Amino acid sequence: MNPFAEQITVSHYLAVGAVLFVTGAICMATKRNALGVLMGIELVLNGANVNFIAFGSKYLRADNLGLDGQLIALFVIVLAAAEAAVALAIALNFYNNHTTIDVDQADELKG
Amino acid sequence: MAFYLVISLGATSGLFFLAGAEFVGAMQLMIYVGGTLVLLVFGVMLTARESFITMQTKAGDWVLSAALGAALLGLLTYSAFNVREWRTPRADRNQLTAIDAQSTGQLGMALAGVRVDALEQPDPQVRAGLSGYVFPFVIVSMHLLVVLIGAGYLARTKRRVRTGPAT
């Protein structure tokens, strides 16, 4: 039985979402570059979006979320982009003041 | 690092298209790949410490990537042609409508307040809750306005005050 010829189900989508989520979580936990942490955040949100789209797809399940899943994913995309913009502005400010982007150097709550 | 993220987000956009959410897939490409990742790449370039002196790809890298690419291409074409249902064209392909993308119109109507995908909802209690997505839509637009103003203010260029000798 060819594993690439099986029908794609919700479980396959959930597995891809899980891989994205775990990769993003590891990035957020281990990267010292603040921009690396930001990329981890983007990956986590994309993993959640893949889950929402999988449950909202009418081609994968008969009993699906429908439009709700797609709308929630759309709002998550918009809010993640907004949060990335603000986090990047903060990171650039930090770099302008300290000439480093290392999160280990950001251990004082001033400046 | 950021380039791998570009590929990853582009591939999840492809997954969205496969699941029938074509509007969300297009928005993912436009907002994430075309906006957020460009911003992240600029951030990486502006905060880099070592200068990019050598930008040549080594010969070993070329050989390795060509071998991996050829292996992946062989695997994909073998899988593509190994399924009999995909090899045979449809018997009734002359009596088909070409495109059946309906999610964009339904999404637009839901954001404006009318849930056209649930017009015949027999349960009155569920019916009372299907009021559309106008409220989150307006909240998100206010949020985006605040974020734009805040990020623009945070990332402004500050005049560096030089403290010279006191006169």
Side-chain angles (χ1 to χ4, degrees), chain A residues 2-52:
Chain A
N2 190 356
F4 293 105
E6 286 176 4
Q7 185 75 16
I8 291 197
T9 58
V10 175
S11 303
H12 294 97
Y13 269 78
L14 294 189
V16 171
V19 166
L20 283 174
F21 187 88
V22 168
T23 311
I26 291 180
C27 266
M28 276 166 48
T30 60
K31 288 276 182 187
R32 281 181 67 180
N33 195 341
L35 297 175
V37 175
L38 276 180
M39 293 183 194
I41 295 177
E42 299 299 322
L43 277 175
V44 163
L45 290 169
N46 266 279
N49 265 352
V50 167
N51 270 22
F52 273 126

Side-chain angles (χ1 to χ4, degrees), chain A residues 20-103:
Chain A
L20 283 174
F21 187 88
V22 168
T23 311
I26 291 180
C27 266
M28 276 166 48
T30 60
K31 288 276 182 187
R32 281 181 67 180
N33 195 341
L35 297 175
V37 175
L38 276 180
M39 293 183 194
I41 295 177
E42 299 299 322
L43 277 175
V44 163
L45 290 169
N46 266 279
N49 265 352
V50 167
N51 270 22
F52 273 126
I53 295 289
F55 282 117
S57 164
K58 67 175 189 279
Y59 300 128
L60 293 173
R61 288 206 310 170
D63 151 39
N64 53 355
L65 285 180
L67 221 49
D68 289 333
Q70 296 185 16
L71 267 169
I72 294 178
L74 210 50
F75 281 128
V76 168
I77 288 178
V78 169
L79 290 175
E83 163 237 340
V86 171
L88 207 59
I90 294 177
L92 275 177
N93 239 341
F94 188 80
Y95 180 76
N96 281 339
N97 284 337
H98 298 262
T99 331
T100 179
I101 202 71
D102 193 351
V103 293

Side-chain angles (χ1 to χ4, degrees), chain B:
Chain B
M1 186 165 62
F3 181 60
Y4 301 145
L5 193 58
V6 169
I7 298 179
S8 180
L9 296 185
T12 53
S13 169
L15 278 182
F16 291 170
F17 277 108
L18 178 69
E22 55 266 354
F23 185 70
V24 184
M27 284 302 111
Q28 166 102 352
L29 277 177
M30 275 172 39
I31 297 177
Y32 261 131
V33 178
T36 307
L37 280 179
V38 170
L39 206 58
L40 271 175
V41 166
F42 270 109
V44 169
M45 287 197 302
L46 282 175
T47 58
R49 269 176 302 135
E50 62 265 3
S51 52
F52 302 99
I53 301 178
T54 58
M55 294 184 76
Q56 284 279 52
T57 313
K58 299 193 290 288
D61 285 348
W62 276 114
V63 168
L64 179 64
S65 55
L68 283 176
L72 180 63
L73 186 60
L75 181 68
L76 288 175
T77 40
Y78 173 73
S79 308
F81 281 105
N82 207 23
V83 181
R84 188 172 305 119
E85 294 89 20
W86 295 346
R87 275 207 305 264
T88 57
R90 270 181 83 137
D92 60 339
R93 60 185 171 275
N94 293 323
Q95 296 96 20
L96 290 175
T97 56
I99 295 175
D100 194 21
Q102 292 178 355
S103 76
T104 307
Q106 292 180 350
L107 276 173
M109 291 297 289
L111 282 173
V114 182
R115 296 291 305 268
V116 294
D117 60 322
L119 284 176
E120 312 91 25
Q121 176 66 251
D123 190 352
Q125 281 200 326
V126 179
R127 184 100 198 90
L130 289 175
S131 61
Y133 280 84
V134 183
F135 189 46
F137 189 45
V138 175
I139 288 182
V140 166
S141 26
M142 289 296 118
H143 176 93
L144 280 176
L145 175 69
V146 169
V147 160
L148 274 177
I149 295 176
Y153 175 75
L154 274 180
R156 71 198 182 284
T157 48
K158 306 171 190 51
R159 186 189 313 274
R160 293 185 184 275
V161 178
R162 294 185 184 278
T163 60
T167 55

